């Protein structure tokens, strides 16, 4: 395990709507990859955001786009708070987003939580949109 280390914040937001999970992890590159979860929290959603997430499948295109931005801003702000409270720096932030539609048999998946807004708010590079290519394949 003498390889390069990557310090990462991982985000998870699921349809259970119990909150945004934030985990600070270390990945070590070597003959095999190793990881360690250093710290993790679940941040509850504000009631209004939680309500819109619950109704996301019935929103108009504009409303869904606005929710995508709002969730990304919320995620970026919470990443920033998490890292500042712990005085941490990371190499990047990673998250799959919040699933609104997932119908792989139709080649369809949609996750919201704008990665650009997460990056702008947290000031860290963001790696996201993991499922789209998997569904396409």
């Amino acid at each position: 395990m003498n390889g390069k280390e990557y310090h990462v914040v991982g985000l998870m937001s699921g349809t259970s709507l119990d909150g945004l999970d934030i985990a600070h992890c270390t990945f070590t590159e070597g003959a095999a990859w190793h990881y360690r979860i250093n710290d993790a929290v679940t941040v509850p959603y504000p009631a209004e955001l939680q309500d819109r997430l619950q109704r996301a499948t019935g929103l108009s295109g504009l409303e869904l786009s606005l929710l995508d931005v709002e969730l990304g801003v919320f995620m970026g702000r919470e990443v920033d708070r998490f890292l500042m409270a712990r005085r941490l720096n990371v190499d990047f932030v990673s998250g799959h987003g919040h699933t609104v539609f997932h119908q792989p048999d139709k080649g369809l998946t949609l996750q919201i939580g704008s990665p650009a807004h997460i990056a702008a708010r947290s000031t860290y590079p963001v790696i996201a949109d993991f499922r789209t290519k998997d569904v396409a394949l």
Side-chain angles (χ1 to χ4, degrees):
M1 282 196 340
N2 294 331
K4 181 169 172 61
E5 280 194 348
Y6 298 89
H7 299 275
V8 179
V9 162
L11 303 175
M12 187 171 69
S13 174
T15 52
S16 65
L17 296 174
D18 58 350
L20 174 65
D21 297 323
I22 304 173
H24 172 241
C25 305
T26 303
F27 292 87
T28 306
E29 184 179 9
W33 283 90
H34 297 274
Y35 73 92
R36 181 176 65 250
I37 299 173
N38 303 308
D39 194 2
V41 297
T42 299
V43 179
Y45 296 113
E48 190 175 304
L49 177 58
Q50 184 181 37
D51 179 61
R52 279 199 308 287
L53 287 169
Q54 189 169 23
R55 295 183 296 108
T57 59
L59 298 177
S60 72
L62 176 58
E63 291 168 326
L64 188 57
S65 295
L66 290 169
L67 181 58
D68 178 39
V69 169
E70 182 181 355
L71 184 58
V73 169
F74 171 77
M75 290 174 161
R77 182 180 64 234
E78 294 305 325
V79 166
D80 193 43
R81 287 181 179 167
F82 178 87
L83 293 173
M84 286 183 66
R86 290 154 180 80
R87 298 178 187 213
L88 296 171
N89 286 306
V90 294
D91 297 302
F92 58 88
V93 176
S94 180
H96 65 75
H98 180 88
T99 302
V100 175
F101 300 108
H102 187 68
Q103 298 176 13
D105 57 313
K106 296 178 182 174
L108 172 68
T109 190
L110 176 66
Q111 282 69 234
I112 62 170
S114 170
H117 286 83
I118 296 170
R121 182 62 195 215
S122 71
T123 70
Y124 288 98
V126 175
I127 298 172
D129 195 21
F130 305 136
R131 283 188 175 166
T132 306
K133 186 174 181 182
D134 289 338
V135 169
L137 291 171

